[in-house]
């Protein structure tokens, strides 16, 4: 199977027209066992589907990687092996996430990371890679806020007074990503 390039929107000036049109967006985040999309696995997916009128739906689930978690994953996320032992594996969870996201425009902070994990799963399952357009709020914030010295999601949330309830948990990070996207759109791309 040939690899498809990620479809990341970088022309930010056209985003307001897309957002205030009929587009549906899906801010999402994954927590993983490590950094390698080939060898590591997703352990949590969180997502918020929204449009110009507000939140439409949400998605949040833990995922059993089918092997013990590295200590670093537990330290960063607070997710433990015990929390995952009765959860469904990627094979059962990711298709539900893909149905949830359907043809929406995906939004993630450091989108390449999360999209790589989803596409690696699809490749292992011998399925086509994602075709969705995507927005990377990390890249977007670096472009729109060049004077910043940091662009992590938590740093930007603090900078713009976006409430963080559970950093490094997929659903809350997805919600914060959605809030950041809307704020950047309203404040810097009127």
């Amino acid at each position: 199977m040939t690899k498809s390039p990620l479809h990341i929107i970088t022309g930010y000036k056209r985003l307001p027209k897309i957002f205030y049109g009929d587009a549906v967006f899906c801010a999402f985040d994954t927590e993983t066992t490590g950094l390698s999309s080939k060898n590591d696995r997703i352990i949590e997916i969180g997502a918020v589907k929204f449009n110009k009128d507000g939140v439409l739906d949400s998605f949040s689930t833990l995922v059993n990687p089918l092997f013990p978690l590295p200590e670093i994953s537990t330290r960063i996320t607070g997710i433990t092996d015990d929390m995952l032992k009765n959860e469904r594996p990627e094979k059962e969870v990711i298709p539900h996430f893909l149905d949830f996201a359907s043809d929406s425009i995906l939004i993630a902070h450091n989108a390449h990371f999360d999209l790589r994990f989803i596409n690696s799963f699809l490749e292992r399952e011998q399925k086509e890679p994602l075709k969705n357009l995507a927005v990377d709020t990390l890249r977007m914030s670096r472009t729109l806020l060049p004077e910043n010295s940091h662009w992590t999601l938590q740093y930007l949330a603090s900078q713009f007074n976006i409430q963080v309830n559970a950093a490094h948990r997929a659903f809350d990070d997805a919600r914060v990503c959605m809030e950041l996207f809307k704020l950047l759109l309203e404040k810097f791309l009127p």
Side-chain angles (χ1 to χ4, degrees), residues 93-144:
V93 173
I94 293 178
H96 290 291
F97 167 71
L98 296 174
D99 286 344
F100 174 83
S102 61
D103 59 354
S104 62
I105 298 172
L106 300 173
I107 300 176
H109 202 74
N110 193 10
H112 286 276
F113 179 84
D114 300 288
L115 294 171
R116 239 184 19 248
F117 269 86
I118 299 292
N119 279 333
S120 286
F121 165 79
L122 292 169
E123 186 176 338
R124 286 191 299 276
E125 295 296 307
Q126 299 181 343
K127 296 186 189 245
E128 290 295 315
L130 283 170
K131 303 243 186 290
N132 301 59
L133 289 174
V135 176
D136 182 347
T137 54
L138 174 60
R139 185 185 285 184
M140 186 178 179
S141 61
R142 283 181 172 157
T143 299
L144 298 176

Side-chain angles (χ1 to χ4, degrees), residues 52-65:
K52 66 182 181 220
D53 298 320
V55 172
L56 303 171
D57 204 354
S58 62
F59 181 95
S60 180
T61 188
L62 292 169
V63 183
N64 188 333

Side-chain angles (χ1 to χ4, degrees), residues 77-103:
T77 65
I79 298 170
T80 65
D81 287 320
D82 200 47
M83 293 166 68
L84 300 177
K85 69 182 177 187
N86 295 320
E87 298 296 332
R88 297 173 297 158
E90 283 183 330
K91 223 175 228 214
E92 294 177 37
V93 173
I94 293 178
H96 290 291
F97 167 71
L98 296 174
D99 286 344
F100 174 83
S102 61
D103 59 354

